[in-house]
Amino acid sequence: MKRPRGLRRRWQVLLAVVLTGGVLAYAALGAFVWWQAEALLANPPQRPADAALVLGSRAYLDGKPHPCLSGRVDTAVALAHAGTVKLLAFTGGVDSEDGRIEAKVMQERAVAEGFAGPMLQEPASTSTRQNLSLSLPLLQVAGVRSVVIVSEPFHLWRVQRLVKMSGFDRSFDVQYAAAPTSCWNALGPLSKGALREPAAIVNNAFRGFLF
């Protein structure tokens, strides 16, 4: 039996309203992420720290080191060369897209950029939450008491929430360094990672990781 035309019309209007509301909410969250990112870029770490913890991401793109991840490493190396940090720690497990270990790729990049100081690898994590939880004991064993967490600008608001909710900041004095990677500089809030970040925030929030 066919539904009355008026009923179908009401369902179509309702669906359109829901979809429009969803798009607007996603856009608003994206704008919030961009605003937070710009604030972090304008406020680099102010205090020396024992280590920089560089969070992982996709390792390679088109057969070459991914510029988004390379930019994170370059920011950490710059902090080391400036005397802000002494040790670099890289966290990231096997990249499901190309099978490379993100932490290893990052360490290779740091060496290529001239860093000759102490380094740590955490090669098993597959999420931002695991980046933090699996790196924590390695940093503690190394005697680290203060950490600068390095990632791309759009990522760091969620990282800040995960740090607080997990208690990571009860083990270390934590600062944040937003990495102005070529991906961010080229597209800003329209970069692939930034566009996906609101979905990651919603996912983490529904799972109780952020609040």
Side-chain angles (χ1 to χ4, degrees), residues 4 13 19-20 39 43 51 61 67 74 76 78 87-89 93 98 117 122 128-129 157 163 169 173 186:
V13 170
L19 290 175
T20 301
N43 292 280
L61 178 66
D74 295 350
L87 178 150
L88 300 186
D98 61 25
E122 181 289 296
T128 303
R129 287 177 62 242
W157 182 84
V163 162
D169 58 346
D173 173 30

Side-chain angles (χ1 to χ4, degrees), residues 29-52:
L29 187 53
F32 172 77
V33 167
W34 174 81
W35 176 67
Q36 291 289 323
E38 289 294 312
L40 285 163
L41 279 166
N43 292 280
Q46 300 298 310
R47 306 182 303 279
D50 296 330

Side-chain angles (χ1 to χ4, degrees), residues 154-173:
F154 64 82
H155 190 205
L156 284 174
W157 182 84
R158 180 160 57 97
V159 173
Q160 289 175 316
R161 299 302 310 168
L162 291 170
V163 162
K164 290 184 180 299
M165 288 297 291
S166 67
F168 189 89
D169 58 346
R170 292 194 292 272
S171 298
F172 309 103
D173 173 30

Side-chain angles (χ1 to χ4, degrees), residues 43-53 74-88 115 144-150 173-178:
N43 292 280
Q46 300 298 310
R47 306 182 303 279
D50 296 330
L53 176 64
D74 295 350
T75 295
V77 171
L79 289 172
H81 286 165
T84 304
V85 300
K86 300 176 182 177
L87 178 150
L88 300 186
F115 181 73
V144 170
R145 295 181 179 273
S146 53
V147 178
V148 176
I149 297 179
V150 182
D173 173 30
V174 180
Q175 299 180 82
Y176 301 90

